[in-house]
Amino acid sequence: MEKLSAKELVEIVEGKCQRYFGKPYTMVSKHQLYKAICLTVRDILTEKRLAFKSRRIQQETKQVYYMSMEFLLGKSLKNHLFNLGLTKEFEEVCKELGTSLEEMYDIEPDAGLGNGGLGRLAAAYMESLTNLDYVASGFSIKYDYGIFKQKISEGWQLELPDDWLQNGDVWLSPREEDTFRVKFGGQLKERWEDGRLYIDQVNCYEVDAVPYDMNISGYHVGAVNKLRLWTAKAPNDFDMQLFSQGQYLKSLEQKALAESICKVLYPADHHIEGKQLRLKQQYFFVSASIQSIFKKHLRDYGNLDTLPDKVAIHINDTHPTLCIPEMMRLLLDEYGYSWEKAWDIVTRTVAYTNHTVMAEALEKWPEELFKQLLPRIYQIVCEINQRFCAELWEFYPNDWNKVSYNAIISYGQIKMANLCLAASHTINGVSALHSQILKDDVFHDYYKMHPLKFTNVTNGITYRRWLTMSNPGLSNYIETLIGDGFLKDANELKKLAEFQAKKEVLDKIMEVKKANKVALAKYIKENNGVDVDPNSIFDVQVKRLHEYKRQLLNALHIIDLYYRLKENPDLNINPRTFIFGAKAAPSYYMAKQIIKLIWCLGEQINNDPDIKGKIKVVFLENYRVSLAEIVMPASDVSEQISIAGKEASGTGNMKFMINGAVTMGTMDGANIEIFENVGADNIFIFGKRANEIDEINRNGYAPSYFYNSNPRIKRVIDGLREGINGVQFNEIADSLVNSDTYKVLCDFDSYCEAQDNLDKAYSDKYRWARMSLMNTAMAGFFSSDRAVQEYVDRIWKLTPVDFTKPIKEVKIAKTVKKTK
Ligand code: 26V
């Protein structure tokens, strides 16, 4: 496809203004101009996608469907322009139209269809699949409201609705012709036909799933893939039967009930609630997705026998597990397959990634609720369970405990992870340690039965977004040193290591860092009203708020440092700015207390004249992808301090690393692989290892011991009770001294010692700059392109679309110009 010139693009944007807003471009608002620009980019991508599609059809390429309840995309306009190589052209377009590209970028809301790492990873993988010319579609829900907007009022978190579709809908194209019907509730009726038993679901209520497609672009490639988001619609606006019976309101209720399904993203990760609406969301989106996959496969290949050869279906955490019984249902009830043949097709098609070992996040559904809502799916799950238990019984004869622990249904609960194990050909964790823990612990029994099903794929990030787009200063400088090869192959960043002893290089990278810190300081001044010193160490912990991630450990160290400074105002430390950003699940009481504590610390410390600005504490409101893009380039220190064994991987740690921040971390998740890549000299590791934590748990843990024997810990905890900024934090103090589930006190000393070492290292300017450089240099492994290639090789077995083969003309694409 020929690249359009700025002049041609201006014409197209003008055409859009006329067509959609009925005005010449000179008369439209900035928001309308933004929409006209996005619609232009959307059309360019769609045209490219259709060309890609015709190649895929001709080459009969195998494809992956990535099923995920979350895709945390962030903003798209800048990303698409960067990927298409059209940034310069659109800068000109904007100038011509009397605006700037930056102004357009600012208008776009984040598409916040995810909670955190799991959703961002799904977005990253769609993009990397596209970067590598693989055919992939993502499936999810078009939530009316994404992750809530966080307001901080006097230190307390408030949640506001995130109406992202206001300006975010420009990327979505409705595809009403691909609507599918999804059935809930009702009863089952058996019917014999041609000597076969069929099951009909009657008196159920039905919902239409209408798809909206979004283009996924890759960096300078021919591929464009799609993300399909389903929205729920009542089949009829009114139920005519109810309506004519005079039950007007009831008839509208049906519509509201249907539409409630895609109203809002559940904002609690790592904590299941067992709510019926959540189960409805899950079944709704997988049923529509599987129906659409089957329909397409039948159209392309004529029968479903070949599904596993042409299609891989990936289950992103257990949330889309119901695609397993849904595939069975369709194969058995709609397409007349035998159980054995259907099971063979399903189990050669699906694979599952686990993203957490936290017990409270492993999904279970009450059997009764499940049976009422999904009677036919329940029947199928019962049958899968029976067969699975027979296999367990054979491998573990007479071991009731093992059978019931691993069963899909036991003690009135349906365990989704076990259903995933039973049906998946491959099961993976998201870092080396996490995958090992799955084998040794969480899924140990099943691992013994099928060791070859287990593998590891360490997570990755879209490094061009995090390095080149978010930190152009650093990226451009890197390009002058090692050329632009790293833009296609992240491993080329290694070439930077050659410069680690070059003072002028080290000076320059610290100069770039400083400029990024000035930009973040400006943001902080505007948003928090706090003056922070760009010459201080920017020490950052940004991630969801959860006790296992131990923002509290960070806070306790700050309190200790504060007391030490009060005691000795001449304490010789480098000035430091402690920066936090974190959303708490709305119902997570302790997490909200911790946010309040951090905020109070800021109020007290930032306003204490004794401290003379040596340390400051800032809590950034509403942490999200687009804020991360400002924070990552400006960070010196990356706090990755979860209790060992609980952070499955982490991906923020990788974004910091590539931006040259030095990790302060435990040996947990992907921190271990960061350690292995940068080497012990370029990271600060502290705390108990995962096996040591296990041992402590086996032997019994008494946190009061630390309180009673360690005066620094005692002083800090007493301080919580006395009050920080006049607020007492007795519940936090009690929980630390009485239970301390996440071993904050146990790791406190080791953490403080590592912090002192870090402070010393920072004092040696060139030592620090070298550490920073080495972190960027060794971050290539954490590219999501590498991660996706591992999924392809070990799990999905895809081949890329071949762009060197000649293409036969297919009449599907109208040109962008014609549709302006
Ligand atoms: C669970 C639930 C429960 C019901 C309500 C909504 C909801 C949403 C998400 C989850 C699962 C949380 C699992 C998760 O986010 N894991 C994170 O996955 C990242 C990507 O693999 C990884 O880097 C993080 O370490 C891991 O915590």
Side-chain angles (χ1 to χ4, degrees), residues 41 45 76-84 171 215-217:
V41 176
L45 288 167
S76 288
L77 177 58
K78 189 174 176 182
N79 192 236
H80 285 320
L81 293 182
F82 175 76
N83 282 341
L84 290 167
W171 301 117
N215 291 310
I216 305 285
S217 59

Side-chain angles (χ1 to χ4, degrees), residues 69-70 115-122 125 265-274 278 282 316-319 353-358 360-363 365 429-431 434 459 548-549 646-654 669-670 791:
M69 287 282 275
E70 307 190 5
N115 274 282
L118 172 137
R120 182 59 220 158
L121 191 80
Y125 285 178
L265 168 84
Y266 272 81
D269 60 348
H270 294 96
H271 181 74
I272 51 154
E273 278 185 286
R278 167 94 179 163
Q282 296 187 346
N316 193 32
D317 217 89
T318 52
H319 320 147
T353 300
N354 172 283
H355 292 267
T356 181
V357 299
M358 300 289 291
E360 61 267 41
L362 293 180
E363 284 196 300
W365 291 104
V430 290
S431 71
H434 170 62
N459 283 169
Y548 86 81
K549 295 179 188 277
K646 291 291 185 241
E647 189 67 271
S649 160
T651 41
N653 45 5
M654 305 167 187
Y791 276 96

Side-chain angles (χ1 to χ4, degrees), residues 246-258:
Q247 298 195 54
Y248 174 69
L249 285 177
K250 198 155 182 82
S251 73
L252 282 174
E253 240 170 52
Q254 299 294 319
K255 178 173 152 73
L257 199 67

